[in-house]
Amino acid sequence: MNHQFDELKIALLSATEAHYSRLHAQCNSQDLYGYSLYTDDSVTSIGPVANSNEKIPVSVDDPLHNYYRYGPQEWLIWDDFGLFGEVNRIIASIHDRGGLSFDAKRDGILEAAFEALVILEGRNVFGPRTDRRFVVLWLSDSADPVMNRSARELNSDEVFWAYSSEYAE
């Protein structure tokens, strides 16, 4: 089964890099700030979600600003451009195979997604690590520690602190 997690990571690297590149070309690159691989606790699929400054519905001085800025569940750019089909085919295959518990499959899928983001961040795919950029692995309606781990490891200290003011426990 480990080869499937490696296959998933490779597919995530390809899909995410292609998606971000296309999104960056279509959006005002100065305005695009947030990018996430998004799933839920069942991890039956993973897709991208992004946001731009203009789509944050509150002003910077609003107490809910960090909630909207750092919460992918509130972001508005959901189009995956059809690039994540292979990713989700591999995830379905992982879930369909026997041999591992659900938790082991879930953990392997999340680790593959996290590692893909770390590799892409290391390649500077998301641009320089500044206080104007936020990248995260997100699980809707979850308190999974991988979210805080990814926010800490993929972003500047200043961004992690701002994220933590709303989301870290």
Side-chain angles (χ1 to χ4, degrees):
M1 177 94 48
N2 286 346
H3 75 281
Q4 281 191 300
F5 296 128
D6 291 338
E7 181 185 6
L8 175 60
K9 182 168 63 174
I10 291 166
L12 280 162
L13 284 166
S14 177
T16 304
E17 185 167 17
H19 181 265
Y20 189 82
S21 176
R22 185 167 170 188
L23 184 66
H24 193 263
Q26 287 185 351
C27 294
N28 176 350
S29 62
Q30 296 296 340
D31 198 47
L32 183 67
Y33 76 87
Y35 191 84
S36 175
L37 290 181
Y38 192 95
T39 187
D40 62 21
D41 277 324
S42 68
V43 194
T44 56
S45 67
I46 293 177
V49 61
N51 210 28
S52 63
N53 288 309
E54 72 179 13
K55 295 187 183 304
I56 299 173
V58 297
S59 66
V60 174
D61 58 349
D62 190 292
L64 290 175
H65 184 264
N66 284 352
Y67 171 80
Y68 286 104
R69 183 170 183 83
Y70 301 110
Q73 74 281 356
E74 299 296 337
W75 293 357
L76 299 175
I77 304 170
W78 289 89
D79 189 351
D80 76 352
F81 308 124
L83 295 169
F84 281 76
E86 179 66 8
V87 166
N88 290 313
R89 184 199 62 75
I90 295 167
I91 290 172
S93 176
I94 289 169
H95 282 297
D96 288 345
R97 290 190 81 181
L100 290 178
S101 69
F102 170 78
D103 287 340
K105 292 174 184 179
R106 180 184 179 281
D107 291 347
I109 292 167
L110 291 176
E111 188 62 23
F114 173 74
E115 289 175 7
L117 287 174
V118 168
I119 290 167
L120 293 171
E121 200 275 332
R123 292 179 186 165
N124 206 30
V125 167
F126 306 112
R129 190 184 286 206
T130 68
D131 63 348
R132 294 182 305 274
R133 181 205 39 115
F134 179 61
V135 178
V136 71
L137 174 58
W138 194 263
L139 285 73
S140 67
D141 299 321
S142 179
D144 194 287
V146 76
M147 296 186 301
N148 290 339
R149 180 179 167 211
S150 68
R152 181 180 303 108
E153 294 189 31
L154 297 169
N155 299 286
S156 70
D157 290 340
E158 183 175 337
V159 167
F160 179 70
W161 179 83
Y163 158 86
S164 297
S165 72
E166 189 65 43
Y167 291 102
E169 296 179 359

